[in-house]
Amino acid sequence: RLLLHESSPVSDVGFSQSGDYLATAVEDGTAALWDVDTGRQIMRLHGRPDGQSTIALRPDGRQLAMGGIEGSTRIWDLDPTSSAAILAFSAHDGEVFDAIYSADGTRMASTGMDSELKVWDSASGEMLLSLPGPLDEIFFPAFSPDGKRLAAANRKGGVSIWDAGSGAELLSLRGSKADYAPVAFSPDGTQLAAAGKDGAATIWDTATGERLASFQNSSGITRMIYTPGGEHIWTYDQEGNANSWSAVSGSELPIGSHETLRHVVYASLWDAELSQDGRLWATAASDGRIRVYATDDDPEEKPYYSNLHFLQNHTDQVAGIALDPGGSLMASASFDGTVRLWDLGNGQELITLVDHSLPMKSVDFSPDGKKLLAAGADGKVSEFFLSIEDLMQIARSRLSRGFTQEECQTYLHLELCPDE
């Protein structure tokens, strides 16, 4: 028995002839296609916001028709064997903790509950490496800026740096303790910082393995970020604090010029990210909220960050967050099972890319900003196109007619539909 939840009243349902798929029509103007065996939502389709009254699946499940109370009928071409993702594959046995792109976007790295660190081809999903080492409870991989090295920490073995091409271990690093989780390369790749759940952090020279500095945060550090110039390291912790540290000495520094920003929220900060120019700063927290700050100052010269957006669309903890290279889009992953895409200009949600019952843990933009990587508790890694041109190509393959002018404005955010 499956219980499928919709956010608005359901006006009609319909099964495919095989009984493998179920379609639901919702009064908010959307329809969803569900996998009957797993209860997973495969895709969501948008009609008009004045409600749908009837729905029907073609017997072979390849088309979906929706009749609305405004008197129109819409027909979509469906591929019920796949979601909107251009690439989706089972990456780990158990949930995926994190999935990231390499600097050139050709590879992906992921860690999961199975204590494995894997490298994948981002075009095909083929596994390229399963890296060696004492990988007990391994967390949060990080590619070096040039993409040639890959680092990760684990609960018992400290921190390792591998050759990202061959998988050979280059360095095995240890600080005062081995209980590290998040790691971060400096922008020039000469340093690696790692921190643990006790708040202790260490900075190493990536060429020699020499320990350069260390610092002690008041609570467990969940995320570390180097500022664009590499002079400071920002940390985020389980008590909702954001702190800044010298990447040279490890001494504590003011985080910008506004002291009150150091305590961000009365909840755990699970993830955070700076834009490439350091002028935007976003956090994901266990209270389900996303906070975005902005500054016009030089990020390396004690900038004043003011509140830009406070986003509350998620209904559970937000575990992952990412900003696109241009600083115009943001993606978020939540325990509520969704991955959402946001416009950083106005703070509006653009689209829900994933919507199912299992928690989502991680998101990352490709270096060119055209694709998004998402991973979660189902053990899968999925990749999505984000550019309007690529989305239109996918949408046209599923829609059995052309776009109306209204649909181009509402769903593609274009004033005029482009020529076919």
Side-chain angles (χ1 to χ4, degrees):
R1 179 182 177 183
L2 292 174
L3 183 62
L4 308 178
H5 292 281
E6 287 282 11
S7 58
S8 298
V10 176
S11 58
D12 196 14
V13 297
F15 281 95
S16 64
Q17 188 175 54
S18 66
D20 294 332
Y21 305 101
L22 171 71
T24 57
V26 189
E27 290 184 3
D28 64 2
T30 66
L33 189 67
W34 308 81
D35 186 303
V36 173
D37 290 333
T38 65
R40 183 173 71 90
Q41 184 182 126
I42 298 172
M43 65 177 67
R44 182 165 292 276
L45 305 169
H46 294 269
R48 292 177 61 91
D50 50 4
Q52 301 293 335
S53 57
T54 60
I55 195 167
L57 273 170
R58 204 172 83 172
D60 62 7
R62 292 201 163 278
Q63 286 187 337
L64 176 70
M66 295 193 297
I69 59 175
E70 82 285 357
S72 67
T73 297
R74 288 168 173 78
I75 302 175
W76 279 267
D77 284 335
L78 307 176
D79 178 4
T81 62
S82 66
S83 70
I86 56 172
L87 181 66
F89 57 93
S90 295
H92 293 272
D93 183 10
E95 68 182 70
V96 182
F97 293 149
D98 204 15
I100 60 169
Y101 282 103
S102 62
D104 62 3
T106 61
R107 289 161 297 157
M108 305 174 290
S110 64
T111 59
M113 188 174 286
D114 56 9
S115 298
E116 294 186 36
L117 172 58
K118 298 179 180 179
V119 179
W120 312 86
D121 182 277
S122 62
S124 65
E126 176 189 359
M127 188 175 73
L128 304 176
L129 293 173
S130 182
L131 298 179
L135 306 182
D136 183 81
E137 294 186 47
I138 194 164
F139 295 95
F140 307 118
F143 279 103
S144 61
D146 62 7
K148 295 181 179 180
R149 292 164 294 171
L150 181 63
N154 62 90
R155 292 297 191 202
K156 296 182 179 179
V159 180
S160 294
I161 299 178
W162 294 271
D163 183 294
S166 67
E169 187 174 28
L170 304 176
L171 289 173
S172 180
L173 307 172
R174 291 183 180 270
S176 57
K177 297 182 180 180
D179 189 12
Y180 292 111
V183 300
F185 277 99
S186 61
D188 62 6
T190 62
Q191 290 185 0
L192 181 76
K197 65 180 181 180
D198 61 354
T202 307
I203 305 170
W204 293 275
D205 183 298
T206 56
T208 65
E210 177 189 358
R211 182 177 172 182
L212 301 176
S214 62
F215 55 86
Q216 180 67 52
N217 192 61
S218 60
S219 66
I221 295 174
T222 56
R223 185 78 161 91
M224 307 182 75
I225 302 173
Y226 274 85
T227 53
E231 299 175 8
H232 304 159
I233 299 172
W234 284 18
T235 61
Y236 303 83
D237 65 33
Q238 295 174 348
E239 294 181 352
N241 298 311
N243 286 306
S244 180
W245 312 85
S246 169
V248 177
S249 65
S251 58
E252 189 172 10
L253 304 169
I255 189 163
S257 59
H258 195 14
E259 282 296 305
T260 59
L261 273 184
R262 295 180 65 179
H263 185 75
V264 179
V265 59
Y266 289 99
S268 294
L269 290 174
W270 291 139
D271 199 7
E273 187 156 328
L274 282 168
S275 60
Q276 287 189 354
D277 61 7
R279 298 185 183 276
L280 290 174
W281 167 35
T283 64
S286 62
D287 66 352
R289 273 64 169 175
I290 299 169
R291 294 158 178 84
V292 184
Y293 306 95
T295 184
D296 292 326
D297 303 328
D298 184 340
E300 300 290 346
E301 297 294 334
K302 297 184 179 180
Y304 175 87
Y305 285 91
S306 58
N307 297 326
L308 182 62
H309 301 304
F310 179 66
L311 308 176
Q312 307 182 68
N313 292 25
H314 285 292
T315 59
D316 206 334
Q317 301 183 49
V318 183
I321 202 165
L323 304 181
D324 81 324
S328 61
L329 296 176
M330 178 177 66
S332 57
S334 171
F335 282 24
D336 65 10
T338 66
V339 170
R340 301 171 190 258
L341 192 66
W342 309 80
D343 184 324
L344 280 174
N346 57 25
Q348 296 298 307
E349 182 181 341
L350 297 176
I351 191 173
T352 299
L353 290 170
V354 177
D355 187 357
H356 57 57
S357 59
L358 296 174
M360 298 301 295
K361 296 296 187 70
S362 170
V363 286
D364 190 33
F365 281 97
S366 62
D368 61 9
K370 292 184 177 182
K371 295 186 290 186
L372 183 75
L373 203 59
D378 59 358
K380 292 183 178 180
V381 171
S382 300
E383 193 174 37
F384 299 86
F385 274 132
L386 296 179
S387 72
I388 289 294
E389 293 79 9
D390 293 330
L391 285 172
M392 286 176 60
Q393 183 177 354
I394 294 173
R396 286 195 183 98
S397 71
R398 291 180 173 175
L399 195 61
S400 59
R401 55 165 175 76
F403 291 110
T404 66
Q405 192 68 32
E406 181 181 4
E407 287 167 343
C408 283
Q409 294 172 351
T410 302
Y411 305 119
L412 299 179
H413 307 284
L414 299 174
E415 287 300 321
L416 296 174
C417 286
D419 294 333
E420 293 291 338

